[in-house]
Amino acid sequence: MKDEDYTVGELARRSGVTVRALHHYEKLGLLRASGRSDAGYRHYAAADVQTLHRILAYQQMGLALKDIGPLLGADAPPLAELLARQIEQSEAELRRQQNLVAMLKRVHERAIAVGPELSDHLFTLMAARRSYERWFSEEEITRMRLAQESLGAERVARIRAEYDHLLPAMHELMERGADPAGPQARALALRFIELTRGMPDDDAMRRKGLAMFAAQPELLKGTGFTLALLKFMDRAVQAAKENPA
Amino acid sequence: MKDEDYTVGELARRSGVTVRALHHYEKLGLLRASGRSDAGYRHYAAADVQTLHRILAYQQMGLALKDIGPLLGADAPPLAELLARQIEQSEAELRRQQNLVAMLKRVHERAIAVGPELSDHLFTLMAARRSYERWFSEEEITRMRLAQESLGAERVARIRAEYDHLLPAMHELMERGADPAGPQARALALRFIELTRGMPDDDAMRRKGLAMFAAQPELLKGTGFTLALLKFMDRAVQAAKENPA
DNA sequence: TTGCTCCTCACGTCACGTGAGGTGGC
DNA sequence: TTGCTCCTCACGTCACGTGAGGTGGC
C-alpha cells in the first residue's frame, strides 16, 4: 500500500460517489481496489481512480453498468459515437423538458387565475399535453410551443375572447343542421382562420389532432368544443380554405 | 356497465399507459375501476378516466405515487404550489442539462480532434465537470458556460496557444524558486489576466477551484498544470491584481 | 477505552416489466 | 374452434440505500 492510495471513504468523498456505489461497482466487476490492508480495507491506487472516472463518464453517456464492463477493457472505445448519440438524446430530452416547462407555466398561470376549486380543467390541460406527446412528433410540439410563445399575452386574451363568440355561433349552426361549407359557416371559419394565423397547421397535424380528440373526447371538456363541433368546424375551415374567394 | 365504459386495454391505449400500470395504481388504492363484468373484467367509467388524468398529472408534477392518494380525495389540492415547485425544479434541471450538453459537445469535438487512442484526457474532462457540479453552484456553472460560449472558436484557439507558452514559462520560474510576486512572475500573470478577461472569477470561485483541484489533483492531468503550479500561478495573479501599477 | 472507518451479508426501494397459468368473449 | 383480451399471482429490474452485526485503527 502506498501513501497516496485512497480508502473507500476517501475515494467516495473526493469523487462524489457513495461507498455503497463503489462496493456495487466491485460486485459487478467494474472496479476492484488494487490493494487491501491486513484488516481487509480496500486501497485504491491512481489507476483505480482513473477507472472510476471512466465508469462515471460512461454512465454520463447514458450507458447501463452492465454495458460499461466491456468498454473498460477496450483500448480504443468508440467515444465519438457514444458522445454523439448521447448529445442527440440529451438535446431531444432538453427540448421535451422545455415543452413540458412551458406547459406547466401556462397551467400555473391558469391555476392562479381560477383558484383552487376549479382545478378540473387544469388536469385536462395536462392530460392533453401528455396526449400531444404521443400523437405529435417532438418537432411538431416544439413548433407549436414556439408559435404559442410568440403570441404575447394580449393576443392570447383576444383569441380567448373571440372564441367565446365564435364557438357558440358555430355550435348553433351545427345544431340547425347547416352546411359546414355554406356561407354562414364560411364567415365564422374565416374569422377563425384569421385568429389562428401563424399557428402551425399542416394537413397531417390537423388530421392527427382530430384523431387524438376522437380517441380521447374527454380532453375537450372545458374547452367549449365537442367532438362533433370540432369536426364540423374543421370541415368549415377546410371549405373556406379551398374556396378563398 | 355502460357502453361508453372502457376495459383496461382500451383505457390503456387511449391514455397512453400500460395495463400493468393501471393494475398497479389499483393495488396502491389510487384507481379502482368502478365496475366489473360477470367475468371479472374491469370497466372504467368517465369518472375513473378523470382520476387517471389526475394521477398522471400529479406524477408529472414530481409526486411519488404514495403521495398522490391523499390528494385525490382533497377537494382543493394545492395545485398552484405544486406547480410552482415543479416549475422551479424543472428549470434548474433544464439548466443543469444545458450545462451537461455543452460539456458533452466540447468533449465530442476534442474526441474527433484527437482520435480514439488519446481518450484519457477526455475522461478527465468529464470527471472535472462532475466535480464542478459538486463544488460550484448551478448558477456559477451556468455563468462559466455562458462565458465560454461567448468566446468563439478562434479566441479559444488563441487562448490554448498562449497557454502552451505561458505554462512552461511559469513552471520554470517556480522551479527556480522565484517569487510569485516578483517582476518576472508578474509579467506572465498580466498576460494570463489579459487572456482570461471576461471569464467569471470572483474570490470565492477562485478558492473553490483551488480546493477542488487539491482534493482531486488527478483532474489536472493533461492540462499542463500541477497543483503546485496552479497555486504558484494563483499567487502571482493575485499579486499582480493587488498591484496593478 | 472511545469514536470513526471499515468489512460482509442481505433485504428494501420505486414504478412498474415480464412471464406463468388459466379463463371469458366474439 | 381460434385468437384476442382479460384475470391473478409472483418474481425480476436497475442502481444502488439502508440497516445488521462485527472488526480494525488512532
Side-chain angles (χ1 to χ4, degrees):
Chain A
M1 123 150 197
K2 293 180 188 170
D3 251 17
E4 68 269 24
D5 284 0
Y6 294 149
T7 67
V8 249
E10 281 166 357
L11 179 57
R13 256 195 315 282
R14 287 171 200 258
S15 53
V17 300
T18 64
V19 169
R20 183 61 177 94
L22 294 173
H23 288 169
H24 189 55
Y25 301 153
E26 182 164 310
K27 194 170 299 181
L28 295 184
L30 297 179
L31 176 63
R32 255 190 61 227
S34 55
R36 292 268 185 156
S37 75
D38 291 350
Y41 281 33
R42 290 169 180 80
H43 286 289
Y44 294 91
D48 301 333
V49 178
Q50 279 305 111
T51 302
L52 176 58
H53 285 171
R54 284 171 190 245
I55 293 169
L56 298 175
Y58 284 129
Q59 216 176 15
Q60 196 90 276
M61 293 182 219
L63 295 183
L65 291 180
K66 67 174 166 44
D67 299 322
I68 291 177
L71 290 174
L72 292 179
D75 46 302
L79 274 187
E81 293 83 58
L82 287 172
L83 284 165
R85 180 146 40 95
Q86 183 59 18
I87 287 168
E88 209 172 316
Q89 282 190 21
S90 293
E91 290 192 319
E93 179 59 27
L94 215 54
R95 287 188 300 266
R96 261 181 42 79
Q97 274 289 116
Q98 281 165 343
N99 293 336
L100 174 60
V101 167
M103 180 278 287
L104 289 174
K105 283 183 168 179
R106 285 201 300 276
V107 175
H108 184 231
E109 278 172 28
R110 300 288 294 160
I112 288 172
V114 302
E117 316 77 35
L118 296 166
S119 52
D120 253 42
H121 182 48
L122 303 178
F123 290 111
T124 302
L125 279 177
M126 292 186 70
R129 200 206 69 96
R130 273 179 39 81
S131 293
Y132 277 109
E133 283 259 308
R134 299 204 311 284
W135 286 82
F136 294 89
S137 73
E138 178 246 290
E139 189 246 328
E140 287 170 327
I141 294 172
T142 302
R143 250 161 59 208
M144 289 190 252
R145 167 172 64 85
L146 294 177
Q148 172 105 15
E149 284 174 356
S150 77
L151 281 183
E154 79 291 351
R155 175 115 186 259
V156 168
R158 224 185 55 223
I159 291 176
R160 218 186 288 278
E162 282 244 43
Y163 258 83
D164 290 345
H165 291 283
L166 238 167
L167 287 192
M170 195 65 104
H171 191 256
E172 203 204 320
L173 274 187
M174 182 180 74
E175 291 287 281
R176 288 213 315 259
D179 179 7
Q184 291 177 300
R186 175 195 168 77
L188 294 177
L190 287 175
R191 275 175 66 193
F192 176 82
I193 290 170
E194 181 54 36
L195 210 58
T196 59
R197 188 173 301 285
M199 304 300 281
D201 100 303
D202 55 56
D203 217 50
M205 286 179 68
R206 213 174 42 76
R207 267 198 303 271
K208 279 192 219 175
L210 281 177
M212 180 182 104
F213 286 114
Q216 293 182 277
E218 77 268 17
L219 295 182
L220 291 171
K221 248 175 38 183
T223 66
F225 274 109
T226 62
L227 189 54
L229 179 56
L230 191 65
K231 285 178 177 168
F232 183 85
M233 186 145 159
D234 182 59
R235 279 199 294 273
V237 168
Q238 286 308 105
K241 277 189 179 163
E242 279 167 20
N243 203 354
Chain B
M1 120 153 200
K2 293 180 187 170
D3 251 19
E4 68 268 24
D5 283 1
Y6 295 150
T7 67
V8 247
E10 281 166 357
L11 179 56
R13 255 195 315 285
R14 288 171 198 259
S15 52
V17 301
T18 65
V19 170
R20 183 61 177 95
L22 294 174
H23 288 168
H24 189 55
Y25 300 154
E26 182 163 311
K27 194 169 302 182
L28 295 185
L30 297 179
L31 176 63
R32 254 190 61 226
S34 54
R36 291 269 184 156
S37 77
D38 291 349
Y41 282 32
R42 291 169 179 80
H43 285 290
Y44 294 89
D48 301 335
V49 178
Q50 279 304 111
T51 303
L52 176 58
H53 285 171
R54 284 171 190 246
I55 293 168
L56 298 175
Y58 285 129
Q59 216 175 16
Q60 197 89 276
M61 295 183 216
L63 295 184
L65 292 181
K66 67 174 165 47
D67 298 322
I68 292 178
L71 290 175
L72 292 179
D75 47 300
L79 273 186
E81 293 81 57
L82 287 172
L83 284 164
R85 180 148 37 97
Q86 184 59 19
I87 288 168
E88 209 172 316
Q89 281 189 23
S90 294
E91 290 193 318
E93 179 58 28
L94 215 55
R95 287 189 298 266
R96 260 181 43 79
Q97 274 289 115
Q98 281 166 342
N99 293 334
L100 174 59
V101 168
M103 181 277 289
L104 287 174
K105 283 183 167 179
R106 285 201 300 276
V107 174
H108 185 232
E109 279 172 30
R110 300 286 295 161
I112 289 174
V114 304
E117 316 79 33
L118 297 166
S119 53
D120 253 42
H121 182 48
L122 303 179
F123 290 111
T124 302
L125 278 177
M126 293 187 68
R129 200 207 69 96
R130 275 180 38 82
S131 293
Y132 277 109
E133 282 259 309
R134 298 203 313 285
W135 287 83
F136 294 89
S137 74
E138 179 245 289
E139 189 247 328
E140 286 169 329
I141 293 171
T142 301
R143 250 160 60 208
M144 287 191 252
R145 167 172 64 85
L146 294 177
Q148 172 105 16
E149 284 173 357
S150 75
L151 281 183
E154 79 290 352
R155 174 116 188 259
V156 168
R158 223 184 56 222
I159 290 176
R160 220 186 286 279
E162 282 244 42
Y163 258 82
D164 290 345
H165 290 284
L166 239 168
L167 287 191
M170 195 64 103
H171 191 257
E172 204 205 320
L173 274 188
M174 182 181 74
E175 292 286 281
R176 286 213 317 259
D179 179 7
Q184 289 176 301
R186 176 195 167 77
L188 294 177
L190 287 175
R191 276 177 65 193
F192 176 83
I193 290 170
E194 180 55 35
L195 210 57
T196 58
R197 187 173 302 286
M199 304 299 281
D201 98 303
D202 55 57
D203 216 50
M205 287 180 66
R206 213 174 42 76
R207 268 198 302 270
K208 279 192 218 173
L210 281 176
M212 181 183 102
F213 286 114
Q216 294 182 278
E218 77 268 17
L219 294 181
L220 291 170
K221 248 171 46 179
T223 65
F225 274 109
T226 63
L227 189 54
L229 179 56
L230 191 65
K231 287 178 176 169
F232 184 86
M233 188 145 157
D234 182 60
R235 279 199 294 272
V237 167
Q238 285 308 103
K241 277 188 179 164
E242 280 168 21
N243 203 352

